[in-house]
Amino acid sequence: MDKGALPPSGTDHGAMSSGGGSFASLRAYGRALAQTPRRVARRACAATAPGEEMSRVRARSGARMARALRWWDLVGLGLGGMVGAGVFVTTGRATRLYAGPGVVVSYAIAGLCALLSAFCYTEFAVNMPVAGGAFSYLRVTFGEFAAFQTGANLIMEYVFSNAAVARSFTAYLGTAVGVDAPSKWRISMPGLPEGFNQMDLVAVGVILLVSVCICYSTKESSLVNMVLTAVHMAFILFIIVIGFVHGDARNLTRPADPSQNPGGFFPHGAMGVFNGAAMVYLSYIGYDAVSTMAEEVERPARDIPIGVSGSVVVVTVLYCLMAASMSMLLPYDAIDPDAPFSGAFRGRKGMAWVSNVIGAGASLGILTSLMVAMLGQARYLCVIGRSGVMPAWLARVNPRTATPVNASAFLGLFTAALALFTELDILLNLVCIGTLFVFYMVANAVVYRRYVGAELGRARSAWPTLAFLASFSLVALSFTLVWKLAPPERGVRTGLLAACAALAVATVAAFQALVPQAHAPELWGVPGMPWVPAASVFLNVFLLGSLDRPSYVRFGFFSVAALLVYVLYSVHASYDAEESGAAGLDGGGAKVQDEACAV
């Protein structure tokens, strides 16, 4: 049970159990607001036990989600979620601006970073197979407030990016059929401000269609995703083969204009490769949505590790081959940063049709990534509703379809409304910060649970682990700042980077030697503890440091907005839910065990 579930003496527990509550009337809400400091102190760090998440908390959704997914469904969802339109844009920019042909290595580095984070997600998903993904993982580790802040930002990331991606579907579909889609298929609305005056009915139709599909059935949605992903993979392989057949290996080391641009496979050195890795990492975001399907996996202990890690490995191989194919088609300084693959065939005699094929492949990629993202965001919101910090109707699972219909429909309508009018292209440069921050938090949470323990009565002192996590993050931040700001002359930067790296290694080694593990996962655990999650923390801090100022402004804005929602609504709703839950258990209510979960 929640550590803060049992009512202290002197609280308004009697009002709760008698049908009152913080929102029963304006007077009741006023009393609740007056108690806000005490309730925040009581609830903010209240962490549920994993057993509670899988029993009493899960039971708030009513009907169960159907356990119908296997490892191949998860691999398909991972591929569909990652291989979207992003790779068709980020590859060109990373190659032209930073890495040159070395973008192949950039993709390998970004894939390694994604795999390390995937390991951290997998440990939680296998040992606590619920639909909440990172929200649930952080709730059982760091408490309600940390989970709410990260979950709220993640939901907004999903909504804005899905709306922007749906609008880009119109453009790529136009490329596939040879139509200037943005101008021909969007309706201009005079009188509205710039950026909000182009109605995109195609984007709205795509979002609503995907929403209906995911509301109907998770298994059928997975089958549709598998078909679309298979066709999309055929397009990807086509692009790879075309590049290797019609490309020239000399383009891997020779620029188009040697007088203006350096040559070689790494024209801008190691810094260019790592900066390119930070940019192309956007193409990997999406595998985290697979962990939100854990509650619907038939055999979590076997299927989740294969599904999550396997999809990241397959996508990394595909991305490296795509990057090599593109680099062979054109010298890196002649690549169109906005349309690298289709632009490579412009002017080639008899090859203009390839651009249409690429447009069709990107359209399918958008559909699959949109479906996986909307599946994931609905399950995040469903579990946020279960936790009591959002209205409980969002948590309801439809008994006929065994899907979170309310959450899916609400987010589908919200996303469609944004996609109808709003040009969100600029937000595609901002959406990754919340996701990277969540990856960072999950990696910290894995270490915390292993070395502190989370079960009531068995937890050891948290201070040594918290001190390690804080100091290691500071070392990673120092490395990032040196990388960005230190002057390269006379080897100053190289020396400082080496010192930071050595300090990071020493910090992890000292922690491993001095602090024994308090908890061993029963089914599957991250290998190489604590080195693997520490490497994930380090890489995510480094990637966060590569983002621009507007990204942090947006993150700060939504974090403040989430804080206000938590203080004015969520902490009171959570308090009411836990008080009524405690009364129900005291009255003889039994836990609802998830017996359908085979391992």
PDB file of all heavy atoms in Angstrom, residues 12 15-16 19-36 39 572 576:
ATOM      1  N   ASP A  12      -9.331  14.772   7.794  1.00  0.00           N
ATOM      2  CA  ASP A  12     -10.736  14.757   7.426  1.00  0.00           C
ATOM      3  C   ASP A  12     -11.116  13.416   6.828  1.00  0.00           C
ATOM      4  O   ASP A  12     -11.851  13.342   5.873  1.00  0.00           O
ATOM      5  CB  ASP A  12     -11.052  15.899   6.461  1.00  0.00           C
ATOM      6  CG  ASP A  12     -10.087  15.966   5.308  1.00  0.00           C
ATOM      7  OD1 ASP A  12      -9.097  15.197   5.295  1.00  0.00           O
ATOM      8  OD2 ASP A  12     -10.324  16.777   4.402  1.00  0.00           O
ATOM      9  N   ALA A  15     -14.856  12.705   6.579  1.00  0.00           N
ATOM     10  CA  ALA A  15     -15.551  13.301   5.437  1.00  0.00           C
ATOM     11  C   ALA A  15     -15.333  12.496   4.190  1.00  0.00           C
ATOM     12  O   ALA A  15     -16.207  12.349   3.353  1.00  0.00           O
ATOM     13  CB  ALA A  15     -15.071  14.739   5.256  1.00  0.00           C
ATOM     14  N   MET A  16     -14.104  11.926   4.053  1.00  0.00           N
ATOM     15  CA  MET A  16     -13.811  11.150   2.864  1.00  0.00           C
ATOM     16  C   MET A  16     -14.685   9.912   2.795  1.00  0.00           C
ATOM     17  O   MET A  16     -15.277   9.598   1.782  1.00  0.00           O
ATOM     18  CB  MET A  16     -12.340  10.739   2.861  1.00  0.00           C
ATOM     19  CG  MET A  16     -11.380  11.902   2.905  1.00  0.00           C
ATOM     20  SD  MET A  16     -11.568  12.994   1.493  1.00  0.00           S
ATOM     21  CE  MET A  16     -10.603  14.387   2.031  1.00  0.00           C
ATOM     22  N   GLY A  19     -18.543  10.100   1.835  1.00  0.00           N
ATOM     23  CA  GLY A  19     -18.986  10.554   0.523  1.00  0.00           C
ATOM     24  C   GLY A  19     -18.647  11.995   0.244  1.00  0.00           C
ATOM     25  O   GLY A  19     -19.157  12.581  -0.708  1.00  0.00           O
ATOM     26  N   GLY A  20     -17.820  12.640   1.086  1.00  0.00           N
ATOM     27  CA  GLY A  20     -17.441  14.015   0.851  1.00  0.00           C
ATOM     28  C   GLY A  20     -16.358  14.104  -0.174  1.00  0.00           C
ATOM     29  O   GLY A  20     -16.520  13.729  -1.307  1.00  0.00           O
ATOM     30  N   GLY A  21     -15.181  14.587   0.251  1.00  0.00           N
ATOM     31  CA  GLY A  21     -14.080  14.694  -0.666  1.00  0.00           C
ATOM     32  C   GLY A  21     -13.735  16.130  -0.943  1.00  0.00           C
ATOM     33  O   GLY A  21     -14.505  17.059  -0.650  1.00  0.00           O
ATOM     34  N   SER A  22     -12.578  16.352  -1.524  1.00  0.00           N
ATOM     35  CA  SER A  22     -12.058  17.706  -1.726  1.00  0.00           C
ATOM     36  C   SER A  22     -12.854  18.498  -2.737  1.00  0.00           C
ATOM     37  O   SER A  22     -12.798  19.731  -2.737  1.00  0.00           O
ATOM     38  CB  SER A  22     -10.594  17.618  -2.168  1.00  0.00           C
ATOM     39  OG  SER A  22      -9.820  16.948  -1.201  1.00  0.00           O
ATOM     40  N   PHE A  23     -13.592  17.843  -3.621  1.00  0.00           N
ATOM     41  CA  PHE A  23     -14.279  18.545  -4.706  1.00  0.00           C
ATOM     42  C   PHE A  23     -15.798  18.431  -4.587  1.00  0.00           C
ATOM     43  O   PHE A  23     -16.523  18.650  -5.550  1.00  0.00           O
ATOM     44  CB  PHE A  23     -13.807  17.997  -6.055  1.00  0.00           C
ATOM     45  CG  PHE A  23     -12.308  17.997  -6.205  1.00  0.00           C
ATOM     46  CD1 PHE A  23     -11.571  16.840  -6.021  1.00  0.00           C
ATOM     47  CD2 PHE A  23     -11.635  19.167  -6.498  1.00  0.00           C
ATOM     48  CE1 PHE A  23     -10.199  16.839  -6.142  1.00  0.00           C
ATOM     49  CE2 PHE A  23     -10.258  19.185  -6.609  1.00  0.00           C
ATOM     50  CZ  PHE A  23      -9.537  18.022  -6.431  1.00  0.00           C
ATOM     51  N   ALA A  24     -16.293  18.072  -3.384  1.00  0.00           N
ATOM     52  CA  ALA A  24     -17.733  17.919  -3.213  1.00  0.00           C
ATOM     53  C   ALA A  24     -18.457  19.256  -3.283  1.00  0.00           C
ATOM     54  O   ALA A  24     -19.610  19.333  -3.720  1.00  0.00           O
ATOM     55  CB  ALA A  24     -18.019  17.232  -1.868  1.00  0.00           C
ATOM     56  N   SER A  25     -17.791  20.333  -2.883  1.00  0.00           N
ATOM     57  CA  SER A  25     -18.396  21.666  -2.913  1.00  0.00           C
ATOM     58  C   SER A  25     -17.285  22.694  -2.877  1.00  0.00           C
ATOM     59  O   SER A  25     -16.113  22.369  -2.644  1.00  0.00           O
ATOM     60  CB  SER A  25     -19.327  21.860  -1.713  1.00  0.00           C
ATOM     61  OG  SER A  25     -18.581  21.834  -0.503  1.00  0.00           O
ATOM     62  N   LEU A  26     -17.643  23.942  -3.103  1.00  0.00           N
ATOM     63  CA  LEU A  26     -16.648  25.012  -3.032  1.00  0.00           C
ATOM     64  C   LEU A  26     -16.056  25.117  -1.630  1.00  0.00           C
ATOM     65  O   LEU A  26     -14.862  25.378  -1.457  1.00  0.00           O
ATOM     66  CB  LEU A  26     -17.286  26.347  -3.435  1.00  0.00           C
ATOM     67  CG  LEU A  26     -17.569  26.536  -4.934  1.00  0.00           C
ATOM     68  CD1 LEU A  26     -18.270  27.865  -5.169  1.00  0.00           C
ATOM     69  CD2 LEU A  26     -16.264  26.478  -5.725  1.00  0.00           C
ATOM     70  N   ARG A  27     -16.905  24.898  -0.618  1.00  0.00           N
ATOM     71  CA  ARG A  27     -16.406  24.963   0.754  1.00  0.00           C
ATOM     72  C   ARG A  27     -15.407  23.832   1.015  1.00  0.00           C
ATOM     73  O   ARG A  27     -14.364  24.042   1.629  1.00  0.00           O
ATOM     74  CB  ARG A  27     -17.564  24.889   1.730  1.00  0.00           C
ATOM     75  CG  ARG A  27     -17.137  24.922   3.195  1.00  0.00           C
ATOM     76  CD  ARG A  27     -18.325  24.962   4.124  1.00  0.00           C
ATOM     77  NE  ARG A  27     -19.073  26.215   3.948  1.00  0.00           N
ATOM     78  CZ  ARG A  27     -20.168  26.525   4.646  1.00  0.00           C
ATOM     79  NH1 ARG A  27     -20.627  25.657   5.552  1.00  0.00           N
ATOM     80  NH2 ARG A  27     -20.782  27.668   4.454  1.00  0.00           N
ATOM     81  N   ALA A  28     -15.737  22.624   0.509  1.00  0.00           N
ATOM     82  CA  ALA A  28     -14.821  21.492   0.696  1.00  0.00           C
ATOM     83  C   ALA A  28     -13.510  21.735  -0.028  1.00  0.00           C
ATOM     84  O   ALA A  28     -12.429  21.413   0.491  1.00  0.00           O
ATOM     85  CB  ALA A  28     -15.473  20.199   0.196  1.00  0.00           C
ATOM     86  N   TYR A  29     -13.591  22.323  -1.230  1.00  0.00           N
ATOM     87  CA  TYR A  29     -12.365  22.610  -1.974  1.00  0.00           C
ATOM     88  C   TYR A  29     -11.537  23.676  -1.267  1.00  0.00           C
ATOM     89  O   TYR A  29     -10.297  23.599  -1.235  1.00  0.00           O
ATOM     90  CB  TYR A  29     -12.706  23.051  -3.394  1.00  0.00           C
ATOM     91  CG  TYR A  29     -11.494  23.298  -4.264  1.00  0.00           C
ATOM     92  CD1 TYR A  29     -10.559  22.293  -4.491  1.00  0.00           C
ATOM     93  CD2 TYR A  29     -11.279  24.543  -4.851  1.00  0.00           C
ATOM     94  CE1 TYR A  29      -9.445  22.522  -5.292  1.00  0.00           C
ATOM     95  CE2 TYR A  29     -10.172  24.780  -5.649  1.00  0.00           C
ATOM     96  CZ  TYR A  29      -9.255  23.762  -5.857  1.00  0.00           C
ATOM     97  OH  TYR A  29      -8.147  23.991  -6.648  1.00  0.00           O
ATOM     98  N   GLY A  30     -12.201  24.652  -0.684  1.00  0.00           N
ATOM     99  CA  GLY A  30     -11.480  25.667   0.077  1.00  0.00           C
ATOM    100  C   GLY A  30     -10.744  25.065   1.257  1.00  0.00           C
ATOM    101  O   GLY A  30      -9.594  25.425   1.539  1.00  0.00           O
ATOM    102  N   ARG A  31     -11.407  24.123   1.969  1.00  0.00           N
ATOM    103  CA  ARG A  31     -10.730  23.450   3.076  1.00  0.00           C
ATOM    104  C   ARG A  31      -9.537  22.646   2.568  1.00  0.00           C
ATOM    105  O   ARG A  31      -8.482  22.598   3.213  1.00  0.00           O
ATOM    106  CB  ARG A  31     -11.712  22.535   3.809  1.00  0.00           C
ATOM    107  CG  ARG A  31     -12.757  23.272   4.646  1.00  0.00           C
ATOM    108  CD  ARG A  31     -13.403  22.329   5.656  1.00  0.00           C
ATOM    109  NE  ARG A  31     -14.062  21.214   4.989  1.00  0.00           N
ATOM    110  CZ  ARG A  31     -15.356  21.191   4.646  1.00  0.00           C
ATOM    111  NH1 ARG A  31     -16.117  22.257   4.911  1.00  0.00           N
ATOM    112  NH2 ARG A  31     -15.879  20.134   4.053  1.00  0.00           N
ATOM    113  N   ALA A  32      -9.714  22.007   1.408  1.00  0.00           N
ATOM    114  CA  ALA A  32      -8.622  21.217   0.839  1.00  0.00           C
ATOM    115  C   ALA A  32      -7.435  22.109   0.489  1.00  0.00           C
ATOM    116  O   ALA A  32      -6.280  21.761   0.764  1.00  0.00           O
ATOM    117  CB  ALA A  32      -9.098  20.453  -0.394  1.00  0.00           C
ATOM    118  N   LEU A  33      -7.708  23.269  -0.119  1.00  0.00           N
ATOM    119  CA  LEU A  33      -6.619  24.185  -0.466  1.00  0.00           C
ATOM    120  C   LEU A  33      -5.882  24.664   0.780  1.00  0.00           C
ATOM    121  O   LEU A  33      -4.660  24.845   0.758  1.00  0.00           O
ATOM    122  CB  LEU A  33      -7.164  25.380  -1.249  1.00  0.00           C
ATOM    123  CG  LEU A  33      -7.612  25.120  -2.692  1.00  0.00           C
ATOM    124  CD1 LEU A  33      -8.120  26.409  -3.326  1.00  0.00           C
ATOM    125  CD2 LEU A  33      -6.464  24.547  -3.517  1.00  0.00           C
ATOM    126  N   ALA A  34      -6.621  24.874   1.857  1.00  0.00           N
ATOM    127  CA  ALA A  34      -5.975  25.306   3.099  1.00  0.00           C
ATOM    128  C   ALA A  34      -5.026  24.241   3.632  1.00  0.00           C
ATOM    129  O   ALA A  34      -4.055  24.551   4.330  1.00  0.00           O
ATOM    130  CB  ALA A  34      -7.038  25.648   4.145  1.00  0.00           C
ATOM    131  N   GLN A  35      -5.298  22.980   3.309  1.00  0.00           N
ATOM    132  CA  GLN A  35      -4.447  21.880   3.771  1.00  0.00           C
ATOM    133  C   GLN A  35      -3.390  21.494   2.737  1.00  0.00           C
ATOM    134  O   GLN A  35      -2.703  20.474   2.908  1.00  0.00           O
ATOM    135  CB  GLN A  35      -5.322  20.650   4.052  1.00  0.00           C
ATOM    136  CG  GLN A  35      -6.338  20.861   5.158  1.00  0.00           C
ATOM    137  CD  GLN A  35      -7.279  19.667   5.293  1.00  0.00           C
ATOM    138  OE1 GLN A  35      -7.048  18.621   4.699  1.00  0.00           O
ATOM    139  NE2 GLN A  35      -8.338  19.832   6.083  1.00  0.00           N
ATOM    140  N   THR A  36      -3.239  22.289   1.680  1.00  0.00           N
ATOM    141  CA  THR A  36      -2.327  21.927   0.597  1.00  0.00           C
ATOM    142  C   THR A  36      -0.902  21.642   1.064  1.00  0.00           C
ATOM    143  O   THR A  36      -0.320  20.615   0.676  1.00  0.00           O
ATOM    144  CB  THR A  36      -2.317  23.022  -0.487  1.00  0.00           C
ATOM    145  OG1 THR A  36      -3.619  23.107  -1.071  1.00  0.00           O
ATOM    146  CG2 THR A  36      -1.304  22.701  -1.577  1.00  0.00           C
ATOM    147  N   ARG A  39      -0.809  18.229   2.695  1.00  0.00           N
ATOM    148  CA  ARG A  39      -1.104  17.145   1.748  1.00  0.00           C
ATOM    149  C   ARG A  39       0.052  16.935   0.770  1.00  0.00           C
ATOM    150  O   ARG A  39       0.368  15.798   0.415  1.00  0.00           O
ATOM    151  CB  ARG A  39      -2.397  17.441   0.990  1.00  0.00           C
ATOM    152  CG  ARG A  39      -3.631  17.382   1.873  1.00  0.00           C
ATOM    153  CD  ARG A  39      -4.916  17.502   1.083  1.00  0.00           C
ATOM    154  NE  ARG A  39      -6.081  17.335   1.940  1.00  0.00           N
ATOM    155  CZ  ARG A  39      -7.326  17.240   1.498  1.00  0.00           C
ATOM    156  NH1 ARG A  39      -7.564  17.285   0.188  1.00  0.00           N
ATOM    157  NH2 ARG A  39      -8.328  17.098   2.338  1.00  0.00           N
ATOM    158  N   HIS A 572      -4.904  16.722  -4.214  1.00  0.00           N
ATOM    159  CA  HIS A 572      -6.151  16.556  -3.476  1.00  0.00           C
ATOM    160  C   HIS A 572      -6.925  15.338  -3.974  1.00  0.00           C
ATOM    161  O   HIS A 572      -7.489  14.581  -3.176  1.00  0.00           O
ATOM    162  CB  HIS A 572      -6.985  17.820  -3.590  1.00  0.00           C
ATOM    163  CG  HIS A 572      -6.242  19.060  -3.211  1.00  0.00           C
ATOM    164  ND1 HIS A 572      -5.802  19.302  -1.924  1.00  0.00           N
ATOM    165  CD2 HIS A 572      -5.816  20.112  -3.962  1.00  0.00           C
ATOM    166  CE1 HIS A 572      -5.149  20.459  -1.892  1.00  0.00           C
ATOM    167  NE2 HIS A 572      -5.145  20.971  -3.116  1.00  0.00           N
ATOM    168  N   ASP A 576      -7.732  12.031  -1.716  1.00  0.00           N
ATOM    169  CA  ASP A 576      -9.067  11.452  -1.586  1.00  0.00           C
ATOM    170  C   ASP A 576      -9.067   9.981  -1.983  1.00  0.00           C
ATOM    171  O   ASP A 576      -9.669   9.141  -1.308  1.00  0.00           O
ATOM    172  CB  ASP A 576     -10.066  12.214  -2.460  1.00  0.00           C
ATOM    173  CG  ASP A 576     -10.316  13.627  -1.969  1.00  0.00           C
ATOM    174  OD1 ASP A 576      -9.865  13.952  -0.851  1.00  0.00           O
ATOM    175  OD2 ASP A 576     -10.952  14.396  -2.716  1.00  0.00           O
TER     176      ASP A 576
END
